Amino acid sequence: MAINREAMKALPMQGYLDYKGIAYKTEHNRLRLVDHDSCIINTDKNVFFWNSKQLSGDLGDFIAAYDEITPKEAWVKWTDYSRYYNNQDVVTQEKYHQQASQTNNYHFNWQRWRTSQSTTNTQNYLVNERGFDPTFVQRLTASDFIKQGKPRQDRQTKEWQKPAILFPWHDENGEVVGLDQQGTEVNFEKFGKRGTQKKIAAGSDSNYGYNFHTGNGADQLIVFESPIDALSYAQMHFPELANENATFLSLSGTDNQKVLSQLDRMNQLNGHLPQKLILATDNDLAGFQAAEQFNVLQFEGMENVRQVPTKGRDWNDQLKANNGDIKTMTMAE
């Protein structure tokens, strides 16, 4: 039977991201991966561009690049997705052809999100899988810094999945303008090396991210790649931070534009920039590349500092290792 390559190339790349649980942010007619923010998918043309790797192409090329496998191995995954997609109903298929044009007009609405009164699943995941202290998690849920979503049915298997954890993004007026979704269903076969599904809610205001502060938050801005990293750092170092004015900000990836937006808000709100910008992105190549972009960003009265965990790749690795050590470096170092 002949292979219809044109039909394969027409399969929506956004559908594949959802199928594999690959987290992304929507930017008009583009999708930007959360884990690799230099990788952009043009939904109009159904192609990708991975700037840091100087790669581009169709869905097959993307699969090979993302999973670091051969074209032959990528073809197997591509055809698996083809079978899955072609078995979906017409309405499901059509939504991917309509979403790009609808995205520009969609605005995040927190009131439309269904949340659960129960926090049991959230407690179990954060304590047992992520190593958080139960009391710390209870305080987070009680203060609505995290919410538990509702169970949902998997489109492929029709099985009901555990509810996701929602991390609301608050603006300077306390309004929720976006959120991160952290899946609690662990499935490495379906979700790849991360094991769980991560998403940013459609329509989320990209000038913001998950954030919270100690004191009035005016003196330090500490930047992380994910809400769980920010909370891991906060739990480990809360005794010394409790008496300081520090703002914690998650980029949900390595999008440095959020940092510039947050600095501008802090300057307007407090009448000055923070004394210190701490870049606490992951201890890996992407994390250092994200931090390096601020090496040339110098504001009078603000010091740029790099911090990384001494155990593992990120701050949650360090939390699970029960080690609170921090490696602090100057930007030059």
Side-chain angles (χ1 to χ4, degrees):
M1 183 168 132
I3 297 172
N4 187 338
R5 289 191 173 273
E6 290 304 312
M8 292 290 284
K9 287 176 179 289
L11 292 170
M13 297 181 73
Q14 184 176 10
Y16 182 80
L17 299 183
D18 291 338
Y19 167 69
K20 295 298 290 184
I22 299 172
Y24 58 84
K25 297 179 291 184
T26 303
E27 301 173 351
H28 303 295
N29 67 333
R30 304 187 310 171
L31 309 176
R32 187 186 296 272
L33 300 197
V34 170
D35 277 357
H36 307 282
D37 70 347
S38 70
C39 183
I40 296 169
I41 292 169
N42 184 313
T43 53
D44 288 343
K45 298 181 179 179
N46 205 34
V47 294
F48 84 100
F49 302 90
W50 200 325
N51 298 322
S52 64
K53 293 188 176 185
Q54 297 185 324
L55 296 173
S56 62
D58 59 24
L59 178 54
D61 299 316
F62 170 79
I63 295 170
Y66 185 83
D67 290 338
E68 298 180 342
I69 56 179
T70 66
K72 185 176 181 180
E73 292 170 323
W75 178 257
V76 174
K77 294 193 174 187
W78 196 359
T79 53
D80 285 344
Y81 169 59
S82 175
R83 284 191 291 270
Y84 163 74
Y85 179 79
N86 289 321
N87 283 328
Q88 300 303 298
D89 58 59
V90 174
V91 175
T92 300
Q93 294 181 12
E94 186 63 24
K95 76 171 186 178
Y96 290 111
H97 300 292
Q98 296 175 347
Q99 273 180 346
S101 60
Q102 293 173 343
T103 298
N104 293 336
N105 299 320
Y106 183 80
H107 296 283
F108 177 86
N109 184 350
W110 176 231
Q111 300 302 319
R112 295 180 61 182
W113 283 80
R114 298 171 63 236
T115 58
S116 173
Q117 293 298 314
S118 171
T119 60
T120 302
N121 187 71
T122 295
Q123 291 270 351
N124 288 340
Y125 178 79
L126 291 178
V127 173
N128 299 327
E129 297 289 338
R130 294 294 195 155
F132 283 94
D133 178 78
T135 302
F136 183 71
V137 176
Q138 288 169 5
R139 290 174 179 171
L140 291 172
T141 55
S143 57
D144 290 337
F145 276 104
I146 55 177
K147 299 288 287 183
Q148 182 168 300
K150 292 282 189 176
R152 67 179 187 84
Q153 193 174 27
D154 186 276
R155 292 175 181 168
Q156 183 179 8
T157 65
K158 305 302 180 184
E159 295 177 348
W160 284 92
Q161 294 189 333
K162 296 177 182 178
I165 303 172
L166 308 181
F167 296 90
W169 304 355
H170 293 89
D171 67 9
E172 57 273 28
N173 299 313
E175 298 295 323
V176 179
V177 295
L179 62 82
D180 288 85
Q181 287 178 267
Q182 168 66 61
T184 59
E185 190 78 25
V186 180
N187 187 329
F188 290 98
E189 182 177 350
K190 181 173 182 179
F191 300 123
K193 56 188 176 183
R194 289 163 43 197
T196 57
Q197 187 177 48
K198 293 183 182 180
K199 285 185 178 182
I200 293 174
S204 294
D205 189 334
S206 60
N207 291 310
Y208 293 85
Y210 182 69
N211 67 90
F212 54 93
H213 59 79
T214 57
N216 63 21
D219 298 336
Q220 299 180 48
L221 175 59
I222 314 175
V223 178
F224 305 87
E225 289 189 31
S226 74
I228 283 183
D229 283 335
L231 291 172
S232 297
Y233 185 104
Q235 178 180 301
M236 287 187 288
H237 303 290
F238 188 77
E240 57 264 39
L241 288 168
N243 298 317
E244 298 187 15
N245 300 315
T247 295
F248 296 71
L249 174 67
S250 165
L251 305 182
S252 300
T254 54
D255 182 2
N256 59 59
Q257 184 58 46
K258 290 183 188 292
V259 179
L260 300 176
S261 297
Q262 181 65 34
L263 287 173
D264 183 57
R265 285 191 294 272
M266 293 174 75
N267 190 35
Q268 292 184 41
L269 184 65
N270 305 312
H272 61 84
L273 288 169
Q275 299 166 10
K276 189 177 291 185
L277 170 62
I278 300 175
L279 300 159
T281 49
D282 290 356
N283 190 11
D284 60 12
L285 179 59
F288 272 88
Q289 287 176 334
E292 186 181 19
Q293 298 177 60
F294 292 93
N295 198 27
V296 295
L297 182 67
Q298 298 293 330
F299 291 112
E300 185 177 353
M302 187 178 78
E303 178 187 8
N304 294 353
V305 176
R306 177 79 170 113
Q307 288 188 349
V308 294
T310 59
K311 297 289 185 181
R313 180 179 62 88
D314 58 36
W315 298 103
N316 189 242
D317 286 343
Q318 180 125 340
L319 177 68
K320 289 187 286 188
N322 196 28
N323 184 314
D325 293 342
I326 297 175
K327 183 176 182 180
T328 302
M329 296 170 277
T330 65
M331 295 305 292
E333 290 172 325

